[in-house]
Every structure is written in structure tokens, then in C-alpha cells.
Amino acid sequence: MALQPAFLLHRRPYRETSALVDLLTFEHGLVRGVARGVARPGSRSRGALQPFTPLHVAWRGERELKTLTLIESTRAGVMLAGEGLLCALYANELLYRCLPREFAVEALFAHYGALLEVLPTPGLRAPGLRRLEITLLEALDAEPLFLSIDGDRPLEPQLRYGYDASARRFRPIADGHQGVDGRTLRLLAHGDWEAPGLAGAAKWLLREALAPLLGARPLRSRALLQSLVERRRAMPAD
Amino acid sequence: MSFSPLFERLVEAFRILPGVGPKSAQRMALHLLERDRAGGERIVAALGEALARIGYCQRCRNLTEHDLCALCEDPRRDERMLCVVESPADLLAIEEAGGYRGRYFVLHGHLSPLDGIGPEELGLERLEAEVAGHDYEEVVLATNPTVEGEASAHYISEQLRPYEVRCTRLAYGVPLGGELEYVDGGTLSRAFSGRLPFTS
């Protein structure tokens, strides 16, 4: 097969010197495979097969578990550290949990690669993550997220909307419930969600929309990020 | 061919050890049964006792059969330094390398959201209590230079921030006696960004 652009989402030891790897690939989406001998000292792929490093891979096998035949890094990955690294682990956990196997979404691959590039810059992290989340949801629902309004009625600016998890659509809700007004939703639908005032609303909405996909098992990486934020808040100001 | 189910079971049991394939497992089983039954008894006794009695040190989570491990009991260790490692094997490697005389804390793993390993599984509350209760000047974050090791080091450094202890990370570098040509790009670029003034 032709070489596939890919990113490693996760690897775990398999037998003595091999690894079970989950890859996000450009043409085939999430692919699981065995990388044989990759944990052997002196293996050429050992250093290359790291998360967040752009890879080229090839595999054989038609079943769910492939056998990787080639792993090469195309260039050194972005040096991620600190909170940026935890955000990258969040992106990996999100895709690993929500994306069905071998369901290719080329835009998702592109946004994931772009996200890794911006994660070292604190101000660009949230917009990058939101874009990845929106792309994931829109790919799974095969329709634009913020246009998913009940009955295709236009958004009423003065109405408040909530996310109906079972129908995966926004619906008008009664006063007194937490939700987002139609005006904000319209702005978000136009792609204005990177505007500073809308960042909070976008984050809340996406969390609501992702919740049914994650079920009862919350994302561990999000819990990590949250516990650090809470710790920092509890600290006396310098 | 199978002449004894018990023998097969023994061979299978040996195969769980790292580096032991079917042939080696068979040789080991035959050796103990044919040539060294007393040695076999010693293995059984040592293994049984080790499994029953070895647990984690209450202070540093290193392996020990006592409340405190020998390193924590040793009054000659430097009380001002604490080194955080992922596994007892890493602790042994640092001890064998020599040069470090401080105390340790063993995580028995690293943060790995996808494997469901979080701060609780690594005993990070215990680590925080250890730092809070002692006068450490420096905590060396000697987790592995992998994504998960890096994430663990970051989390711990944030966790220890209120205690005003200096957190350091092991340096990245080119291996001694190595040739630049064969060093992977990631290591080389990190070694470059972490270069030091030349001292002669």
C-alpha cells in the first residue's frame, strides 16, 4: 500500500518487544495495528513512533488489527510541554473515544495537525480545540453542528436554546434553564466562535454536545486539566 | 508432544517471564526437575514469601517488606533532595549510576488518560504530603522523556507549586560515546536547545 500520513494517538506494550498502536490516518481514519519489534533496543522506529510526531506509515491486513510494515517520521514533532501537552492528550483521548474505527474524515486530520502546531501558544489553544471538537461532531452527524435546529426553523435571536442530547440537536428551552440565546447560536453558526466573548459559550455548548458520545465515562485528560485549574485558583495570588 | 500436563503447566508458567520463549521455558522446567529440585524448592519458597510480603514503602512507594524501605531508613541520605521516578527499575538505574544521594519517590507508572491512569493511581497525594512534611530544597522529576512522562512531570510540578520547592527535570542529551549522525532528530534538537556553556 501507499504510505499514509498518520499521527500516533496511543501505544501500549504488546508482547515483549511490540506495541499495539492507535493511529489517526488521513485516508482511513482511526486504525489499530501492531508495530512489531518497536520496543526492541536499537529499533529504528522506536524514536519515531511517538505521539504528536507527523508519521508516514504502511500496513497490511484487512481485519481490524493491522500489521504495520513501515513507520517513518516525516519531521520532528512540535515540542509540547506543560498545559499544551495536556491539551494534546485531551485531543487524543477525545478522538480515540469518539471516532469510530476506519471512518475517515480528512478535515479532522488536517485540524488535528493544525491544533498541534498552535498548542505551544496559550491564546490559540481554546480556538484550536473547539475547531477539532466541531469538526468531529459535524463529521459524526454529517451536518453542521450549529444548524442542527429542531424542525429546520430559523434561529430566533431572543429564544434560549439547549442541546437535546438524545436527538443531538438544539431545541428551544423554557426560561430559567441554562442555555444559549439564539443570537449567540447564530454567531457561532457563522463561525464567529473564536471571538473572545463567545469562547465560553462555544466551550459550554460543545461540552454538552460531546457528553452523549462519552457516556458515563468522563475524559481523564479533561479531569487532569480541570484539577490543575482548580489548584491554581486555590493558590494565593503571588 | 505432551507427556505430562503438570510439566506443560510449569513450562507455560515460566513463559510469563520477560525474555522467556517456549524453548527457554522448557529448558528451565527440565533443569529444575532433572538436575536441581532443591533449587526449585528455593524458588518456590522465595517467590511465595516475596509475593506474600513485599509491598510498597509507606514513605516512598519503593518495594519493601517493611513499613519503610532501606533507602528511607538510611540516615545518611540527603534529606534536601527528592527524586521522582516511574518505576523501581528506574530507581535502581539511578542508584547504580551513582552520584545521587537524596531520597526517592516511586510512581509505579505515569499519567496516561487513555489507560485510565490518573493522579490517584500514582500516589500523587502521598507525594504532596511527603513534600509538605519535609524540608526538601529540590525535587528532581526523573520521569521518562516520553509524552506521558513529560505530562506527569508537568502535573507534579504544578501540584508542588505551593511548597516553594525547586523542581528540576533531567537534561536531554546525546548519549556518551554516541555519534550525532545516528541520534534521532527529537533528541538532537532538544540537546541543541538545552546546550550548556563550554567549561574546560
Side-chain angles (χ1 to χ4, degrees):
Chain A
M1 71 180 290
L3 285 178
Q4 289 289 319
F7 284 102
L8 175 71
L9 294 186
H10 189 52
R11 70 183 264 183
R12 48 176 70 98
Y14 180 70
R15 299 228 169 114
E16 257 172 62
T17 55
S18 301
L20 202 57
V21 298
D22 287 287
L23 299 159
L24 178 69
T25 65
F26 181 62
E27 276 180 47
H28 299 264
L30 214 57
V31 168
R32 174 169 282 189
V34 176
R36 290 197 195 283
V38 79
R40 206 171 279 146
S43 157
R44 283 182 63 199
S45 314
R46 190 186 167 108
L49 194 60
Q50 296 293 331
F52 321 128
T53 302
L55 301 171
H56 272 151
V57 297
W59 63 80
R60 61 166 192 265
E62 294 301 316
R63 298 200 183 165
E64 194 178 313
L65 190 64
K66 320 286 183 205
T67 301
L68 295 182
T69 51
L70 193 98
I71 305 155
E72 273 177 6
S73 64
T74 52
R75 60 189 163 84
V78 190
M79 274 192 213
L80 290 170
E83 200 174 84
L85 175 58
L86 293 185
C87 290
L89 289 176
Y90 165 78
N92 282 11
E93 192 180 5
L94 182 71
L95 295 178
Y96 179 84
R97 289 276 303 277
C98 297
L99 198 61
R101 299 218 170 267
E102 303 196 35
F103 172 68
V105 187
E106 292 177 2
L108 205 53
F109 187 88
H111 286 313
Y112 179 81
L115 172 70
L116 296 181
E117 296 291 326
V118 301
L119 281 181
T121 316
L124 300 177
R125 278 175 202 154
L129 286 170
R130 296 299 89 77
R131 187 168 286 285
L132 186 78
E133 291 166 343
I134 289 175
T135 314
L136 172 67
L137 282 164
E138 293 187 341
L140 293 177
D141 286 343
E143 63 181 355
L145 176 70
F146 293 113
L147 296 181
S148 317
I149 312 298
D150 185 34
D152 295 325
R153 274 173 300 179
L155 285 160
E156 300 287 346
Q158 71 286 4
L159 274 183
R160 288 194 79 72
Y161 290 85
Y163 191 76
D164 180 346
S166 54
R168 302 240 291 255
R169 277 168 176 265
F170 289 103
R171 288 202 171 138
I173 48 168
D175 284 346
H177 287 85
Q178 200 182 6
V180 173
D181 59 80
R183 196 189 133 270
T184 306
L185 267 186
R186 271 194 191 179
L187 289 171
L188 291 171
H190 284 108
D192 288 344
W193 46 273
E194 286 180 42
L198 294 179
K203 187 174 180 176
W204 179 80
L205 277 175
L206 282 161
R207 190 166 300 174
E208 291 284 300
L210 286 169
L213 293 175
L214 297 168
R217 226 158 30 102
L219 292 174
R220 299 290 296 236
S221 47
R222 183 189 284 158
L224 272 184
L225 278 160
Q226 271 168 347
S227 80
L228 284 184
V229 169
E230 277 158 26
R231 278 179 167 276
R232 219 169 289 159
R233 221 175 268 155
M235 263 182 70
D238 295 321
Chain B
M1 73 155 256
S2 171
F3 47 84
S4 154
L6 262 186
F7 180 77
E8 294 300 321
R9 211 171 99 190
L10 182 60
V11 171
E12 271 308 303
F14 278 125
R15 285 197 57 192
I16 63 169
L17 292 169
V20 178
K23 270 278 173 215
S24 316
Q26 189 179 309
R27 275 179 54 214
M28 287 176 181
L30 282 173
H31 176 84
L32 293 178
L33 291 170
E34 294 270 281
R35 302 209 189 119
D36 197 357
R37 291 206 172 211
E41 298 283 357
R42 281 204 302 280
I43 291 179
V44 170
L47 190 60
E49 207 172 344
L51 290 176
R53 291 185 49 207
I54 294 181
Y56 290 172
C57 169
Q58 287 177 5
R59 185 168 172 190
C60 75
R61 304 208 335 147
N62 190 12
L63 297 174
T64 180
E65 59 269 37
H66 303 292
D67 289 345
L68 292 179
C69 72
L71 284 166
C72 284
E73 293 272 29
D74 186 349
R76 290 164 302 172
R77 303 293 299 196
D78 187 346
E79 290 281 349
R80 292 164 303 172
M81 284 185 88
L82 182 70
C83 178
V84 181
V85 292
E86 286 188 17
S87 72
D90 298 337
L91 183 154
L92 287 173
I94 296 174
E95 279 299 291
E96 277 163 25
Y100 177 72
R101 296 288 306 152
R103 304 216 166 265
Y104 288 96
F105 190 88
V106 186
L107 301 173
H108 297 279
H110 47 225
L111 289 179
S112 179
L114 275 171
D115 294 314
I117 299 172
E120 308 79 46
E121 285 78 9
L122 303 180
L124 295 190
E125 267 180 35
R126 180 79 271 289
L127 172 63
E128 190 172 347
E130 171 71 17
V131 171
H134 295 86
D135 264 342
Y136 289 114
E137 289 173 10
E138 181 177 346
V139 175
V140 186
L141 301 170
T143 50
N144 287 330
T146 58
V147 162
E148 291 88 354
E150 210 60 59
S152 310
H154 169 68
Y155 190 91
I156 294 167
S157 72
E158 287 287 320
Q159 189 186 23
L160 300 183
R161 209 186 259 236
Y163 305 99
E164 289 177 359
V165 60
R166 192 160 72 99
C167 285
T168 54
R169 186 93 176 98
L170 292 188
Y172 300 98
V174 178
L176 282 181
E179 288 172 48
L180 293 189
E181 188 185 346
Y182 298 110
V183 175
D184 73 277
T187 307
L188 198 53
S189 65
R190 292 229 173 183
F192 223 91
S193 61
R195 65 193 183 278
L196 296 169
F198 187 73
T199 48
S200 51

